[in-house]
Amino acid sequence: MDSLFRAWQKSRMAYLKFFDNYSLEQLNRIPEGFSNNLIWNIGHIIATQHKLIYIGSGVAGHIPGEVFVNYQSGTRPSAAVSQQEADLLKRLLLEQIEPTIGDFNNKKFVHYQERTTGTGFHLTSIADAFEWNNFHEGLHLGYMMSIRKFVVDRQ
C-alpha cells in the first residue's frame, strides 16, 4: 500500500500545479468540444476518491458534502467556480491525503461494499478501491493535459 499512497501523493502534486500555472478564468474555461474544464476535473477526483474509499467502506469522510454533490460522476460545470471554491479544492487536494492514509493505517476501512465501476472495473476490497482511484486520477490528469492546450490565450 505504501507505493499506492506515494503514487497518489505524486498525482495530487501534479494536479496542484494547475493552480500555479493557470488563472481562475482559465481553470473555469470549457474549450469547444469539451464538456468540462480544468477545475471540474480537480473537484471530480476529490469527490471520486471520497466515493471510492469512504462511501464504499461506509465510513464518514473528510470533504464537505457540497463538494461531493457538485463534482460526483454525472455532473458537469454549471457555473464558474469562485476563487473561494477554487481555494477550497486546492486545499482538499492535499488535505485529503493524510487523513485517508491515517484511516487506512488505523483500520477504519473494515468492510467494503463490492461494486463495478461505470467503466467495468470490479472493486472487491479497499485495496482495489485505492488502485482504481490512482488509475482514475491518471485518466483525469490526461484529460486535463488535453484541455490545458485550449485554455491558454494565443496571440
Side-chain angles (χ1 to χ4, degrees):
M1 290 300 290
D2 287 341
S3 64
L4 282 173
F5 293 146
R6 283 193 313 273
W8 184 37
Q9 290 167 322
K10 286 289 187 188
S11 168
R12 292 297 178 97
M13 295 308 292
Y15 278 96
L16 196 59
K17 290 179 183 176
F18 281 86
F19 287 100
D20 297 332
N21 296 327
Y22 298 92
S23 68
L24 182 61
E25 190 274 328
Q26 290 171 319
L27 291 171
N28 274 296
R29 190 178 300 162
I30 302 173
E32 189 175 326
F34 289 85
S35 60
N36 55 52
N37 53 30
L38 295 171
I39 196 80
W40 181 88
N41 279 277
I42 292 168
H44 177 68
I45 60 115
I46 292 167
T48 298
Q49 185 273 347
H50 173 76
K51 180 178 182 179
L52 289 169
I53 306 304
Y54 286 93
I55 293 175
S57 297
V59 175
H62 304 282
I63 67 169
E66 66 270 9
V67 171
F68 180 71
V69 169
N70 292 338
Y71 296 99
Q72 66 182 311
S73 295
T75 64
R76 295 286 177 253
S78 58
V81 168
S82 67
Q83 186 63 56
Q84 181 180 1
E85 186 172 351
D87 292 344
L88 171 64
L89 294 175
K90 183 178 181 180
R91 273 195 334 271
L92 287 173
L93 275 174
L94 298 180
E95 287 178 2
Q96 204 176 26
I97 295 171
E98 290 308 317
T100 302
I101 294 171
D103 289 345
F104 177 82
N105 289 335
N106 292 324
K107 301 186 183 347
K108 286 193 176 183
F109 307 119
V110 176
H111 302 288
Y112 195 79
Q113 183 176 339
E114 282 190 44
R115 72 188 225 18
T116 301
T117 68
T119 54
F121 191 83
H122 189 70
L123 305 173
T124 61
S125 67
I126 192 65
D128 287 352
F130 276 109
E131 287 180 30
W132 180 255
N133 183 67
N134 283 359
F135 177 78
H136 178 261
E137 290 196 14
L139 284 175
H140 282 275
L141 190 57
Y143 298 152
M144 291 174 68
M145 293 171 104
S146 292
I147 291 171
R148 72 182 179 178
K149 297 174 188 175
F150 299 98
V151 299
V152 294
D153 297 320
R154 299 202 169 117
Q155 299 177 5

